Amino acid sequence: MVRRTASTALPTAFPASVPAPASAPAPPPRLRRGGAVAAGVGATVLSLVAAALPAAEPLGVGDRLFPTLGNPGYDIGSYDIAFDYSGDKNKPLKARTVIDARVTADQLERFNLDFAAGTVRGVQVNGMDARYERAGEDLVVTPAIPLHKGARLRVDVRHTSRTKGIAHGAWVHTKDGLAMAAQADAAHRAFPSNDHPSDKAYFTFRLTAPKGVTAASGGTLVRRTRAGAATTWTYRLAHPMATELAQVSFGRSVVPRRTGPNGVPVRDVVPTDKRKVLEPWLKKTPAQMGWMERRVGRYPFENYGLLVAEATTGFELETQTLSLFERELLTSDSYPSWYKQSVMMHELAHQWFGNSVSPREWSDLWLNEGHATWYEWNYGAGLGGTPLTRRVRAAYGQSDDWRARYGPPAEPRAAKDGKRSEIFRPIVYDGSAVVLYALRQKIGKAAFDRLQRAWVVEHRDGNASTADFTAMASRISGQDLGGFLHAWLYGKKTPPMPGHPDWRQDKQGGQGKQNRHAPHGEPAKHQGR
């Protein structure tokens, strides 16, 4: 993701049916009201089971930065999510989320889902009504019958999804509808989930919208059906996805199409009246994909494109297969061509680094943003932007200041006193790209390039950690890089730059010095998450 400061001039018609991916999960029953409790199981039994358990409380998977995100006891295989948009972006969406999972605990008498900002109408577990209650931002569910390790777990939640008045919510109001921006911890404010990147899953979205509104999401459109004045669009993602990368939009949009390298479909979702002015930028995507493929290998997903929103967000976001962009970034004369294209490259690079290979925990965020920034810098330099070494040196000079303010790249400072962690800081962008430059200086360009390619192949569609990266870098380079990378990734002070003994830290420090240090002709550097 790229976030831009308010002052920046910045730095840094669908086919009716497409075959469903073979790996996509089978769809659940269509949206309907829950039935009666299964024979032999009544409300009294549910009450007795719940009464025997301790008080419900928020749980988590132990993430240092977001301690209540994610939930133990099960592993999700797929989500099937229905949103019904009335045409009024201020009204809650009618919704239904069906989750298919497997129990990983020895016995599961009760479990948590991350969910806030919606009203729950009912919950069923494996076809039987279940008791549910709130605990913080968790929905705590007690099934009628306890489940054991390895058992199938299907959770069917009928709910609403609030679209306004939500602090750090997932829904962005656009000029003509809604779009989703769930990074890092907002997906559960739109739908029930295991909202942590360590539990990736397959997704199906069923989006109902009134006449004249296009509904879109990541993945491939597999069905479109009309019922009266409404249309339901069904999309499936062919690869597992972290919840924070989900994209759903409703708007008066058109969908330009083109073809990328190796025949990969490229489709964009853009405001109907802005298609012509956006076309010069949209048509650059296939060449950008080719540039990345020459460096790290084949594009990892089924399709790609840009969702261009009439909204002011201050960021662009790498939602899986359909990156979210502000219209103003691409059409404003305030930003030079090379810069716009480098930001497009940043979000495209994330499809490999962050989306296909997702962090094991949020402290591994530097692996996402450091790599995306690295390719942004290299691509921008090739278009006449700031030369790479000059840009790295400017960021290197601020690294000590960033470490003092925000923590080192692989150990961002956690919030205290129950506050929300803000992890999208310069240290995980520019500061982490500096680490990659130092690594290349240490092991040489050839080994560094092999590492980049091997990383996205070995961990494709999965999760990986900082320790995994260190181990792979050591193996590929033939050097023990444990101490070297530990100093660069966890040190309070920035180590000397290999090959550049004359580089120094800027002793003056100060917030906003990144703008003063922006090389001549370069827009003021963005900050991001």
Side-chain angles (χ1 to χ4, degrees):
M1 183 235 196
V2 172
R3 174 178 287 162
R4 296 179 289 107
T5 60
S7 61
T8 122
L10 206 129
T12 89
F14 287 103
S17 178
V18 178
S23 59
R30 291 189 59 80
L31 210 147
R32 55 179 170 76
R33 296 189 178 277
V37 178
V41 180
T44 301
V45 174
L46 287 170
S47 297
L48 289 173
V49 171
L53 296 172
E57 60 181 358
L59 298 178
V61 292
D63 193 285
R64 185 180 65 86
L65 297 170
F66 294 99
T68 62
L69 281 189
N71 295 286
Y74 57 90
D75 178 47
I76 295 181
S78 68
Y79 294 86
D80 196 305
I81 303 171
F83 289 120
D84 189 339
Y85 175 61
S86 69
D88 184 344
K89 58 190 172 187
N90 294 309
K91 289 185 177 180
L93 307 178
K94 295 178 181 178
R96 179 184 179 189
T97 297
V98 177
I99 296 170
D100 278 299
R102 288 286 175 184
V103 176
T104 58
D106 290 337
Q107 180 166 298
L108 198 64
E109 296 179 310
R110 184 167 69 187
F111 60 89
N112 289 28
L113 294 170
D114 299 306
F115 184 52
T119 300
V120 177
R121 307 295 190 190
V123 179
Q124 290 190 338
V125 175
N126 293 343
M128 295 183 286
D129 285 347
R131 183 185 180 94
Y132 59 92
E133 56 190 308
R134 298 282 193 172
E137 293 197 345
D138 280 14
L139 177 66
V140 184
V141 179
T142 305
I145 299 173
L147 303 169
H148 297 276
K149 189 171 185 176
R152 174 177 179 266
L153 173 63
R154 170 167 279 201
V155 188
D156 187 341
V157 185
R158 296 175 302 282
H159 61 99
T160 64
S161 183
R162 286 172 55 195
T163 62
K164 64 176 295 186
I166 309 300
H168 311 296
W171 292 107
V172 172
H173 282 217
T174 66
K175 182 179 179 181
D176 58 350
L178 296 166
M180 191 173 283
Q183 197 179 82
D185 61 335
H188 70 281
R189 299 185 185 102
F191 56 89
S193 60
N194 205 22
D195 194 10
H196 191 271
S198 61
D199 195 3
K200 298 170 72 169
Y202 291 93
F203 277 75
T204 297
F205 290 103
R206 304 172 193 273
L207 311 175
T208 301
K211 184 178 180 180
V213 174
T214 296
S217 84
T220 301
L221 179 69
V222 297
R223 187 177 302 108
R224 185 176 62 175
T225 58
R226 293 184 177 88
T231 298
T232 297
W233 317 65
T234 301
Y235 296 84
R236 290 200 183 105
L237 286 100
H239 297 262
M241 178 174 71
T243 49
E244 50 117 357
L245 300 172
Q247 181 55 264
V248 170
S249 75
F250 299 95
R252 299 190 178 277
S253 307
V254 291
V255 185
R257 294 179 180 274
R258 62 202 87 231
T259 302
N262 304 301
V264 173
V266 177
R267 55 87 194 240
D268 303 299
V269 181
V270 302
T272 301
D273 61 350
K274 295 297 187 296
R275 177 174 182 172
K276 185 175 181 180
V277 71
L278 288 167
E279 180 60 22
W281 306 104
L282 303 177
K283 70 181 183 181
K284 297 180 184 298
T285 296
Q288 293 171 349
M289 294 173 73
W291 188 91
M292 274 297 295
E293 287 197 345
R294 289 191 293 275
R295 284 153 180 80
V296 297
R298 293 283 289 266
Y299 177 73
F301 297 125
E302 63 270 31
N303 57 16
Y304 185 63
L306 273 58
L307 168 63
V308 182
E310 290 273 20
T312 301
T313 60
F315 59 79
E316 327 308 320
L317 186 61
E318 68 274 14
T319 39
Q320 191 157 310
T321 75
L322 190 61
S323 293
L324 176 65
F325 275 74
E326 298 169 286
R327 189 271 304 163
E328 186 262 350
L329 169 68
L330 298 176
T331 60
S332 173
D333 293 334
S334 300
Y335 309 102
S337 174
W338 71 263
Y339 175 69
K340 296 177 184 182
Q341 294 180 70
S342 71
V343 174
M344 292 174 70
M345 180 55 66
H346 183 108
E347 307 309 336
L348 174 59
H350 269 309
Q351 303 303 313
W352 284 265
F353 298 94
N355 294 15
S356 180
V357 184
S358 299
R360 195 173 303 280
E361 58 184 43
W362 277 113
S363 293
D364 299 316
L365 177 64
W366 80 273
L367 288 163
N368 302 15
E369 300 299 349
H371 281 94
T373 301
W374 174 254
Y375 290 105
E376 171 196 337
W377 285 0
N378 278 270
Y379 191 69
L383 296 174
T386 307
L388 177 65
T389 302
R390 186 178 177 188
R391 202 160 187 179
V392 174
R393 184 172 185 174
Y396 179 85
Q398 299 176 79
S399 181
D400 273 3
D401 182 52
W402 291 335
R403 288 168 188 253
R405 290 174 180 272
Y406 311 121
E411 198 170 40
R413 187 164 295 132
K416 296 179 180 179
D417 303 323
K419 295 180 180 179
R420 176 177 179 265
S421 291
E422 177 50 77
I423 57 177
F424 298 102
R425 301 296 195 182
I427 191 63
V428 300
Y429 287 85
D430 296 30
S432 298
V434 168
V435 175
L436 293 176
Y437 181 86
L439 177 60
R440 192 179 73 163
Q441 291 289 102
K442 175 72 172 177
I443 67 176
K445 183 179 184 301
F448 182 83
D449 290 348
R450 291 196 302 272
L451 170 62
Q452 298 296 283
R453 287 177 171 272
W455 180 254
V456 297
V457 169
E458 185 167 316
H459 297 290
R460 184 178 181 181
D461 287 340
N463 298 86
S465 67
T466 300
D468 294 327
F469 186 81
T470 300
M472 180 179 285
S474 297
R475 184 176 77 242
I476 287 176
S477 68
Q479 304 178 42
D480 181 356
L481 296 170
F484 177 82
L485 282 173
H486 189 274
W488 275 95
L489 291 168
Y490 296 98
K492 293 182 179 180
K493 295 292 184 179
T494 310
M497 178 61 72
H500 296 285
D502 58 320
W503 285 14
R504 298 286 185 269
Q505 290 297 307
D506 183 335
K507 300 301 182 182
Q508 299 178 56
Q511 180 84 23
K513 285 184 65 62
Q514 63 226 53
N515 291 348
R516 182 171 66 79
H517 282 286
H520 179 68
E522 178 184 338
K525 185 69 183 80
H526 65 273
Q527 296 181 17
R529 21 170 194 192

